[in-house]
Amino acid sequence: MQLRALRPSGASSDSGRPTGARRRGKRRRAAAQLTALARPTGPAGRALAPLARRLAPLAAVLAPYARKLKPAYPRPGRTGWRRWLPSWRQWLGGALGAMGLTGVFLVVAYAATDIPQNLNSYATQQDNVYFWSDGTPMARTGWVQRQAMPLKDIPPNVRWAVLAAENETFYTDPGISLKGITRALWRTLGRGDTEGGSTITQQYVKNVYLNQDRTLTRKLTEAMIALKLDNAMSKDEILEGYLNTSWFGRGTYGIQRAAQAYYGKDVGELSTSEAAFLASLLKGAGLYDPTLSKANHDRAVERWNWILDRMVKIGKLSPQERATYTAFPEPLESNPLYDTGQQSDYLVELAAQYAKKAAHLSDKDFDLGGYQIYTTFDRAREDTLTEAVTAAREKAQADEPDLAKTAHYGAASVAADGRILAVYGGPDHRKQGFNESNATTVPAGSAFQPFVYAAGLQHGVVKKRDVPRSQIGPDTVYDGDDGVPVTTPEGPYWDRSGRKVAAHNDDGKDWGKITLREALAHSVNTPFMQLGMDTGLDKVKQTAVACGLLASSMGPQVPALSTGSSTPSAIRMASGYATFAADGMHTEPYSVRRITRNGSAVPLDAPASSRAVDARVARQVTDALADSFALAHPGAAPQGTRPAGKPGTTENDTAAWYAGTVGPVSTAVVVYRMDLAESLEPLPLKGLAGTPAHSVPYTIWSGAMAPLG
């Protein structure tokens, strides 16, 4: 009879095995389980299968020890609350596990964080700087005041003042401060905010890549990018970026604009004492700008002293030099960069429009700033022109207050080579946005006659059908009587209503037979209306446009074209007269001669230049204009000088002009009335522009051109 031993219910099948056998069995089962996991069950499983098979033997060895590490919790053999108190092994295991997980998290976070390809547009935005023709600053524009400076142009004493204040270990640290980050995390977790702990690299990352949110996520991202940036860029590159993007208060970003805003000088001219004060602003300009309050002043002095002492401690300032800095370097009371003036806004508008067109810059690129725009505007001429118009405006307000409310004055001076030297755009750009010097609003009237005269001299005339053109000259005679019918080679000219068109002089005066030169000198209308028909209105238009008037401002090709129905701006009228002073060569008016961006030249299209009329024709026009000036203003010009100019009036008294040249400079002035609140239609001047003997446009013109010669 065979006896069989019975295994107790629930007993393990390995209970009878030796201890070593049981261990081997457990290892085999662990290996088998891992091998089973290594069997591919999908795309991910098939990818991980080779790794799992390699780890199976190791897992079999470690499995028993891992089970031993499994905590018995609540702890056996303890009573009461002690059952729930972890052992020292559990505390150690938890701490080591937390450190390991943290390390893994940081490694993964570092690997997953990339340096952003695009900088914050706000961080890279700079202001645009405009200069007068003599190179002195005229205005600065932009949402922020910033101008990037290469590190080589920032003196070492300025750099070390900043480093002493913000991050003295900058050149040796890895881009982050573990002590500072720990302090920031403690404050975040314990008090709900973040503070301190940022190296210059971290601050630069925050300035140009991230936002200013005070969150733990942003702080962690900042640290990861800072670590990578420290490996990707040199320390000098990071410092340069930091100094050009940091906020210094008074609307300024970057050390260059800060130097100008607080001390009215470039960064290269700062003393060590001034640099130490500017460095203190990095801690918070609202707290350390001494002009804001006494408390601010006290804080600024204290931190200024501290920064200078720190520079001594780190060996960047000698004790002897430090001893000389006893007086706090008081900054300017206000930012001089804000003082642009009212009239300069019109100049900036003209220059910006031209710069974008000539340099092929998009609005987006131009608005990012950093451009240095060297204009053609002559500061002395601009001041003189503005004073002349302001005096006329104030006189009108005193003499005719009702009419003066709707009075407008536009003026411009243009050189023979196309440079716009000065403009008067309006009383205040902030109240009146449109530029009166560039507005095509009112007709030119008899100021247009020189272009008709030039067209006739250049192209000749046709008086009869099928007869070739014949040349004319200054002594060619025309009928100057009032009411002379206008004719064509086919006969009288009829308007659309079926009536014959007749020419009229301003005062209805009959001049009889008169030469074209005399007609221009006396501003007689009737000869020029007929001359326009004889020359061809298409030729008149062609000549006026070639001389500088815009085709879009030209009037219809009807007889009234020759009497000034076109509506040129003051700039274009001055440009047209400047063509005659340039012996018939026209250069498109321009307001910018050079552009740079952070020191590098920006390619700029040259203004177009072409021959408008022959030099002979241009001189004949200038001679007639000189006669006009001499007849109207005998003795006004010094002996030996030869100003050339004439007035312009309109048939319905809606505009009064004076345009003329002195040497190579031409100026045009227009006065008109328009109620912008009710209508954009010109209104009668009613004497606001003076009389022929005392013309307001001429008074402004002569004031702007003084001395006449």
Side-chain angles (χ1 to χ4, degrees):
M1 181 177 181
Q2 187 177 6
L3 297 177
R4 180 179 297 172
L6 297 176
R7 182 178 296 152
S9 176
S12 171
S13 61
D14 291 334
S15 59
R17 297 183 185 181
T19 302
R22 286 198 299 272
R23 289 177 180 171
R24 286 192 295 274
K26 291 176 180 178
R27 285 198 292 269
R28 283 195 296 272
R29 285 194 295 275
Q33 290 171 356
L34 192 57
T35 302
L37 290 174
R39 293 192 186 100
T41 58
R46 285 192 292 272
L48 295 175
L51 179 62
R53 283 195 294 270
R54 290 189 179 186
L55 294 177
L58 179 62
V61 174
L62 295 178
Y65 300 100
R67 278 192 291 274
K68 282 187 175 182
L69 290 176
K70 181 180 179 180
Y73 198 79
R75 295 174 63 191
R78 298 289 190 275
T79 59
W81 59 270
R82 291 181 177 83
R83 297 178 61 222
W84 305 98
L85 186 65
S87 68
W88 67 270
R89 291 184 181 86
Q90 291 171 333
W91 279 113
L92 179 60
L96 292 175
M99 291 175 62
L101 290 174
T102 301
V104 170
F105 172 77
L106 291 176
V107 169
V108 172
Y110 180 84
T113 302
D114 293 322
I115 299 175
Q117 295 299 312
N118 297 321
L119 304 181
N120 293 337
S121 59
Y122 191 69
T124 58
Q125 187 179 11
Q126 305 177 54
D127 55 355
N128 290 322
V129 188
Y130 296 80
F131 297 89
W132 294 102
S133 59
D134 62 2
T136 57
M138 182 179 77
R140 292 176 172 87
T141 64
W143 289 106
V144 299
Q145 291 186 3
R146 178 192 286 121
Q147 182 183 350
M149 292 290 290
L151 191 65
K152 63 181 179 62
D153 294 334
I154 302 175
N157 64 323
V158 177
R159 301 182 221 167
W160 280 107
V162 171
L163 293 175
E166 295 294 310
N167 186 189
E168 65 184 63
T169 62
F170 170 72
Y171 279 101
T172 58
D173 64 39
I176 63 171
S177 167
L178 294 177
K179 179 180 177 181
I181 291 175
T182 303
R183 183 170 65 248
L185 290 174
W186 174 256
R187 289 186 61 85
T188 301
L189 297 174
R191 297 171 59 178
D193 62 353
T194 60
E195 179 184 280
S198 292
T199 63
I200 277 180
T201 306
Q202 289 174 262
Q203 292 181 53
Y204 176 59
V205 167
K206 180 177 65 175
N207 287 346
V208 302
Y209 295 119
L210 305 175
N211 54 42
Q212 303 298 315
D213 294 344
R214 300 172 67 85
T215 63
L216 190 59
T217 301
R218 199 270 299 157
K219 196 73 177 177
L220 178 62
T221 304
E222 172 192 298
M224 294 299 105
I225 296 177
L227 283 171
K228 285 203 166 183
L229 199 69
D230 195 73
N231 292 324
M233 295 175 63
S234 70
K235 288 289 189 179
D236 281 350
E237 289 173 328
I238 294 173
L239 181 60
E240 178 182 304
Y242 174 75
L243 291 173
N244 283 318
T245 57
S246 295
W247 165 253
F248 285 87
R250 294 194 178 185
T252 61
Y253 285 81
I255 192 72
Q256 167 71 351
R257 283 290 176 264
Q260 294 170 336
Y262 287 91
Y263 290 108
K265 60 178 67 174
D266 290 333
V267 64
E269 301 171 350
L270 289 174
S271 69
T272 301
S273 178
E274 293 166 339
F277 162 68
L278 292 182
S280 71
L281 296 170
L282 293 167
K283 193 171 179 64
L287 294 174
Y288 291 92
D289 184 344
T291 63
L292 299 180
S293 68
K294 184 180 184 303
N296 271 26
H297 193 280
D298 294 341
R299 279 190 292 266
V301 172
E302 180 181 359
R303 187 157 179 83
W304 167 75
N305 275 306
W306 179 82
I307 292 172
L308 290 173
D309 292 341
R310 293 291 299 172
M311 293 182 70
V312 174
K313 183 177 180 180
I314 64 177
K316 299 302 176 181
L317 183 65
S318 69
Q320 293 77 17
E321 185 180 357
R322 168 66 181 95
T324 64
Y325 298 131
T326 57
F328 179 68
E330 300 288 350
L332 300 173
E333 284 296 320
S334 62
N335 185 353
L337 304 182
Y338 284 130
D339 299 332
T340 61
Q342 297 174 347
Q343 201 57 218
S344 65
D345 292 340
Y346 297 105
L347 306 182
V348 165
E349 182 181 57
L350 279 176
Q353 291 172 352
Y354 184 86
K356 287 186 281 189
K357 181 179 179 181
H360 304 284
L361 299 172
S362 66
D363 289 341
K364 179 180 178 181
D365 288 341
F366 192 76
D367 289 344
L368 285 177
Y371 294 96
Q372 295 80 50
I373 301 154
Y374 297 86
T375 74
T376 60
F377 302 125
D378 184 298
R379 189 169 195 166
R381 287 187 178 275
E382 180 64 33
D383 290 344
T384 302
L385 177 61
T386 300
E387 290 171 4
V389 178
T390 301
R393 185 184 291 276
E394 291 175 349
K395 186 176 187 306
Q397 290 171 344
D399 297 344
E400 300 284 351
D402 291 336
L403 297 177
K405 293 177 182 178
T406 54
H408 296 273
Y409 302 77
S413 294
V414 178
D417 60 5
R419 289 174 295 128
I420 302 176
L421 303 177
V423 302
Y424 182 86
D428 190 337
H429 190 273
R430 290 163 291 187
K431 297 178 181 178
Q432 177 184 293
F434 78 93
N435 186 337
E436 288 173 345
S437 72
N438 204 30
T440 54
T441 307
V442 293
S446 53
F448 188 79
Q449 289 176 357
F451 303 107
V452 184
Y453 185 37
L457 294 173
Q458 179 72 27
H459 299 287
V461 298
V462 176
K463 290 184 174 290
K464 294 183 179 181
R465 187 174 182 178
D466 300 326
V467 174
R469 285 184 176 271
S470 60
Q471 291 298 314
I472 62 170
D475 296 327
T476 300
V477 175
Y478 269 75
D479 191 341
D481 285 343
D482 184 63
V484 175
V486 176
T487 62
T488 70
E490 286 79 16
Y493 183 90
W494 302 79
D495 64 17
R496 291 184 177 180
S497 63
R499 292 178 298 181
K500 291 182 180 180
V501 174
H504 295 279
N505 296 321
D506 286 344
D507 52 5
K509 181 179 178 180
D510 292 330
W511 290 83
K513 299 299 180 180
I514 188 171
T515 66
L516 289 175
R517 178 170 178 167
E518 292 173 327
L520 184 63
H522 291 282
S523 198
V524 183
N525 290 335
T526 52
F528 289 101
M529 184 175 279
Q530 185 59 54
L531 177 61
M533 300 302 295
D534 295 344
T535 304
L537 296 178
D538 59 333
K539 300 294 185 184
V540 172
K541 179 178 179 180
Q542 174 187 328
T543 302
V545 171
C547 287
L549 274 61
L550 294 177
S552 59
S553 70
M554 299 300 294
Q557 285 188 199
V558 296
L561 176 68
S562 298
T563 57
S565 62
S566 300
T567 57
S569 66
I571 290 176
R572 287 291 170 170
M573 184 67 89
S575 176
Y577 274 58
T579 299
F580 303 131
D583 281 344
M585 287 296 299
H586 171 68
T587 302
E588 277 291 284
Y590 65 100
S591 55
V592 176
R593 55 188 175 85
R594 183 165 66 95
I595 300 177
T596 61
R597 192 171 196 271
N598 299 331
S600 300
V602 176
L604 196 67
D605 289 345
S609 182
S610 60
R611 177 158 293 284
V613 294
D614 293 341
R616 170 188 57 83
V617 171
R619 291 168 189 155
Q620 289 171 341
V621 174
T622 300
D623 288 342
L625 290 172
D627 291 346
S628 175
F629 181 88
L631 286 170
H633 309 285
Q639 187 71 26
T641 62
R642 199 162 175 260
K646 76 177 302 298
T649 55
T650 58
E651 185 178 0
N652 50 7
D653 190 37
T654 56
W657 290 80
Y658 196 91
T661 59
V662 176
V665 178
S666 172
T667 296
V669 179
V670 61
V671 179
Y672 63 100
R673 286 181 61 228
M674 182 179 291
D675 191 337
L676 301 178
E678 293 187 3
S679 170
L680 296 180
E681 293 296 323
L683 302 172
L685 285 169
K686 297 182 178 180
L688 187 69
T691 64
H694 300 90
S695 165
V696 171
Y698 171 76
T699 300
I700 295 172
W701 181 89
S702 60
M705 299 292 273
L708 298 179

